[in-house]
Structure formats: structure tokens, C-alpha cells
Amino acid sequence: MQKIEGYKNDMAAYEAPTTEALEDFRIKYLGTKGIVKAVMGEMKNVQPEKKKEFGQILNAFKIFAEDKYEALKAALSSAENKTTANVDWSLPGDSIPVGTRHPLSIVRNQIVSIFKRLGFAVAEGPEIEDDWHNFTALNLPENHPARDMQDTFYLNQNPDYLLRTHTSSVQARVMEKQKPPIRIVCPGRVYRNETISARAHCFFHQVEGLYVDDNVSFADLKQTLYFFVQEMFGKEAKVRFRPSYFPFTEPSAEMDISCTVCGGRGCSLCKHTGWVEILGCGMVHPKMLENFQIDPDTYTGFAFGMGIERICQLKYRINDLRLYSQNDVRFLRQFTGAV
Ligand code: 2NL
């Protein structure tokens, strides 16, 4: 038994530097006159009642030696593969195909650069958010439908954390740290628990904007968004505002633009109305300003939110949301020249 332990320790510590050393190892331990055979030969000296127990030990020893041999062989061949001695450096290299910018990135960059020219800064924040920044601070009451487990991905381990449902949470983080004037756009990925189809996905991309200062009016909101539309869709694009509701703005509106396909004459894209919706907006709710110790008697603000997929759909006629995340290069390569 002591001898077996000694052999095992020797084997465990051994490393074969060459194929010759590996062959020596095999002959020494596993050869016909090797140590394993010799130790097996000791069986005849073992008392009959101990034969079963000793047999198992011998068998394990044999397997140990065989495994060690295979491990040494594998280590040697991987070391050989790494040597550069046999490499022909004159062979041509493998080409690495250059990718193309994703259509959502192209459109996000366009949106952000238009607002940058108006003096908006870019702010970013975490995709895993807490309840306060995603809901409570934004004036979304406890029983608001958006908070439903059905609509929001909560973290199982701690349901105070969730995947953000809009990038308003980033704006909340900025208002926490910074006093007016605040003029920011927040691009990023957001998550909603939807069944995936051509028109819905479990994540999408947003750009939200926020402008808080003294004397910010609804007229500023309209002029800013009108400028954005003309830069994005061309000077001939018209806009209209319809009253709407969002918990974080009062008053709230949705903005339509004249149809990008028919120019307003009526077609299937605009369902023969001549108009397509592109974003939601409004004046920041005074309660929200108070949540961040911003005095609503001194300061006012406007905010807006748009889906990048929607803008992309209108610009490039992409009618199936799933195309954005399938990584099909036949789709992606169509945007090579669009940057
Ligand atoms: C939409 C509508 C909207 C906002 C987002 C906002 C953010 C803060 C304060 C006030 Cl911090 N409002 N965001 C306001 C109105 C509409 O999004 O349809 N988004 C895709």
C-alpha cells in the first residue's frame, strides 16, 4: 500500500517535456514489464479474505496510471500546437468582414445629434432600475397598470428591482443630482413584458428628452419638436399635436407628422388619415418637480419620449420589429450606405 501511494505521488508530480519522455513514462508504468503489472503480481501474496479489497485498490491504481498517461499526452499535443516553428508567415491572412452600423444606432445617432445642436446634453443610466427611479419618483401611482407584473420584468430575487420600462428613470437620476437649467436627452434600451410579434417585442429603444428652466413654455416644446421633425424628415414635413395623457406630464400631447409615404394624401401606412403618430410629450407635472426639490413656482419644463423603432420604421419602411434583433446580415447589410 505504501509503495502504491509512493508511485501515485511520483506520477502526479511528473510532467513529460517531450514525446520521448512520454513514451518512457508509458513503458515504466504501463509496459509489459512495468510497475502496474509488477504490483498486480503481488496479488498472489495477499490473504484470500483481503483479495477483494486489494483488487479494487489495484484496479484504481491502474486507472490512475492510464489517466495520467492520457493527460500527459493531451498536454503535450496542445503544447505542440502552440509552437510557431511550423507556421508559414507568408500565407495570406484570414479576412475579417467589416460590419455595418445597426439601423437603430444610425437613427439614434441622428436623433441625438439634432438635439445636441439645440444644446441638449446626453445622459445615460442603468437598465436594471429600482422602483423609485422607474415609477414612484415619476408620479406613477402604486396601482398604475404599468406597474403590473404582466407588463414589467421584476427581478425574482428582489422585486424592488426591475428592468426599466422607459428612460425617464435616467432623467429622474439627473434631476436628483443637478438643479435647473436641465436640458438632456436620454437614449437607451427599455423592457416590457410583451408577447413577441411583428408589432411588439420584449425590449425596444427610446430617446426621452427633458428641459427644465425658468420660463419654459408649451410654445418652446412645440418649436423644439417641430425643428426636430424638419431636420429628421425634411422641410416639407408638417406636425400636429393632439391632447393626450401621461402620468408625468400635464398637459400632455401626442405629436403626429404628415405621412412620410403619401405626404398627407392618404395611404395604407397612415390608414388614410394623412397623419402618423411619432411621439408623446407634455409639460413636466409639478408634483414631479417637487419630488426633486425643484420649486414648480419658479421652474417649468417640458418632456418628450419617442420609440427609435417607430422613427426607423417611418424613415426606412421597416414593418416587422423582429428584424431588428435577429442579426440577419441580409437585413443589416442594407444599411451600409445609410451612415
Ligand atoms: C412615449 C411617451 C413620454 C415623457 C415621456 C417624461 C420624463 C420626465 C418627466 C416628464 Cl423625467 N416626462 N417623459 C413625457 C411624455 C411622454 O413618452 O410615447 N414614449 C415612447
Side-chain angles (χ1 to χ4, degrees):
M1 289 294 282
Q2 268 175 2
K3 268 197 201 164
I4 288 176
E5 278 313 301
Y7 290 138
K8 276 170 105 173
N9 287 339
D10 288 350
M11 279 193 274
Y14 184 71
E15 284 175 45
T18 61
T19 39
E20 288 78 22
L22 176 70
E23 182 59 5
D24 289 346
F25 177 93
R26 190 189 67 76
I27 292 166
K28 179 174 172 189
Y29 287 98
L30 297 164
T32 36
K33 292 182 183 153
I35 289 167
V36 170
K37 275 267 158 58
V39 176
M40 290 283 191
E42 299 281 346
M43 266 304 258
K44 62 180 184 295
N45 303 324
V46 177
Q47 292 157 334
E49 68 273 18
K50 290 257 170 95
K51 273 201 196 298
K52 189 180 171 201
E53 185 195 343
F54 198 63
Q56 282 169 350
I57 290 166
L58 286 181
N59 214 27
F61 177 61
K62 185 178 170 217
I63 289 167
F64 184 93
E66 286 167 351
D67 286 352
K68 177 68 188 185
Y69 174 70
E70 290 303 325
L72 288 173
K73 198 156 90 176
L76 205 60
S77 81
S78 79
E80 266 174 6
N81 288 341
K82 283 198 197 104
T83 64
T84 53
N86 302 328
V87 174
D88 180 353
W89 297 108
S90 69
L91 286 172
D94 293 330
S95 67
I96 301 168
V98 177
T100 55
R101 214 181 284 284
H102 194 280
L104 291 174
S105 298
I106 295 170
V107 171
R108 181 204 56 220
N109 290 350
Q110 287 172 346
I111 297 169
V112 166
S113 96
I114 293 168
F115 284 103
K116 271 187 175 172
R117 282 157 54 206
L118 290 172
F120 284 77
V122 177
E124 289 181 303
E127 291 185 9
I128 300 173
E129 259 301 358
D130 51 52
D131 180 277
W132 167 256
H133 291 100
N134 196 79
F135 289 134
T136 312
L138 303 174
N139 202 32
L140 276 130
E142 201 85 31
N143 52 3
H144 193 277
R147 287 184 159 216
D148 198 306
M149 298 288 276
Q150 302 295 310
D151 301 314
T152 303
F153 290 114
Y154 289 89
L155 269 66
N156 266 343
Q157 290 188 341
N158 182 352
D160 186 44
Y161 288 92
L162 48 89
L163 298 181
R164 69 182 180 194
T165 59
H166 41 210
T167 59
S168 315
S169 54
V170 181
Q171 291 163 311
R173 285 176 181 278
V174 171
M175 280 197 281
E176 229 165 36
K177 290 219 184 71
Q178 192 188 318
K179 292 302 139 205
I182 295 169
R183 193 157 48 193
I184 50 169
V185 281
C186 305
R189 180 174 289 180
V190 301
Y191 299 83
R192 308 227 174 137
N193 190 1
E194 303 259 6
T195 306
I196 295 169
S197 73
R199 263 160 293 145
H201 210 295
C202 58
F203 61 75
F204 65 99
H205 300 78
Q206 258 199 325
V207 177
E208 284 211 11
L210 176 71
Y211 181 16
V212 182
D213 203 350
D214 45 11
N215 287 319
V216 175
S217 70
F218 202 91
D220 297 320
L221 162 72
K222 289 176 82 171
Q223 192 56 47
T224 302
L225 293 178
Y226 185 43
F227 176 80
F228 162 71
V229 166
Q230 292 208 313
E231 291 298 299
M232 195 73 196
F233 294 100
K235 290 286 177 211
E236 64 288 352
K238 293 195 270 295
V239 299
R240 73 173 184 187
F241 289 81
R242 287 175 290 106
S244 184
Y245 171 79
F246 300 106
F248 18 71
T249 45
E250 181 59 39
S252 304
E254 273 161 305
M255 188 174 80
D256 298 340
I257 63 169
S258 47
C259 182
T260 52
V261 169
C262 64
R265 284 180 298 280
C267 68
S268 63
L269 179 82
C270 60
K271 299 195 192 83
H272 303 283
T273 63
W275 297 96
V276 288
E277 186 190 323
I278 67 158
L279 56 78
C281 56
M283 301 305 292
V284 180
H285 200 292
K287 267 215 201 118
M288 247 197 85
L289 296 174
E290 277 170 8
N291 284 346
F292 298 98
Q293 284 81 49
I294 298 171
D295 180 4
D297 293 329
T298 312
Y299 295 106
T300 50
F302 70 71
F304 56 88
M306 66 183 100
I308 302 178
E309 280 83 350
R310 177 81 182 135
I311 309 292
C312 209
Q313 178 194 18
L314 294 174
K315 258 199 107 104
Y316 298 117
R317 314 276 153 78
I318 299 162
N319 54 13
D320 190 327
L321 276 176
R322 291 167 294 195
L323 288 165
Y324 291 121
S325 49
Q326 283 169 334
N327 283 343
D328 186 333
V329 291
R330 291 168 302 180
F331 170 71
L332 297 172
R333 284 205 185 114
Q334 294 179 55
F335 300 91
T336 311
V339 185

